Amino acid sequence: MLRDVRKWNMEKAKEFLQLNKEEAETVLRLNIQPTRVGFQCSFYEDFALRGIRVDTVQPGFVSCTLKVPPRLTDKSGNLAKGAVANLVDEVGAAVVHVEGLPMNVSVDMSISFLGTAKLNFS
């Protein structure tokens, strides 16, 4: 019984993640630049962080601005919650790195979703 439920859940997950024709064409149009020589940024980091601007850096505080790009939106045109969590994680890791703390620290982050950010909103 449990195996059948897991199989059904997996099929539902695959169905949910399946792209329709328009979505597949959008993915094919993505212009992902190759990693530049001497630039230690992965595809993942470049995809997530491209366009972010650091506005203010003070001890214990970082303020960034990002105009919401289409690649980070959900089907409703809102900044995807997973993208928000990823941005918080990446910027938080950069802060730890800049502060000179050992990279084997454990960090507890809390994210509250109070509203939505729409496509091209900054």
Side-chain angles (χ1 to χ4, degrees):
M1 173 82 174
L2 182 58
R3 180 177 286 158
D4 292 338
V5 170
R6 286 182 181 161
K7 184 178 179 182
W8 182 82
N9 285 338
M10 183 61 74
E11 292 303 318
K12 283 298 198 185
K14 285 180 183 178
E15 182 182 311
F16 178 77
L17 294 172
Q18 190 67 35
L19 300 177
N20 64 34
K21 184 178 179 181
E22 181 182 336
E23 291 166 335
E25 289 171 359
T26 299
V27 170
L28 290 174
R29 287 192 307 268
L30 288 174
N31 182 18
I32 306 299
Q33 300 297 320
T35 301
R36 298 180 294 256
V37 175
F39 187 66
Q40 299 298 319
C41 185
S42 69
F43 165 82
Y44 176 75
E45 292 165 329
D46 184 52
F47 184 83
L49 298 175
R50 189 177 344 120
I52 196 165
R53 185 180 75 209
V54 178
D55 298 319
T56 306
V57 177
Q58 298 172 359
F61 177 80
V62 174
S63 176
C64 299
T65 305
L66 174 70
K67 184 175 180 181
V68 178
R71 70 181 182 279
L72 299 181
T73 59
D74 60 18
K75 291 183 178 186
S76 300
N78 298 317
L79 180 60
K81 292 173 181 71
V84 172
N86 181 64
L87 290 166
V88 168
D89 183 54
E90 290 291 336
V91 172
V95 169
V96 169
H97 182 70
V98 169
E99 288 287 325
L101 298 173
M103 293 306 290
N104 61 351
V105 299
S106 177
V107 178
D108 181 27
M109 292 185 265
S110 176
I111 303 169
S112 297
F113 296 95
L114 304 176
T116 58
K118 293 284 187 187
L119 177 64
N120 294 320
F121 180 81
S122 59

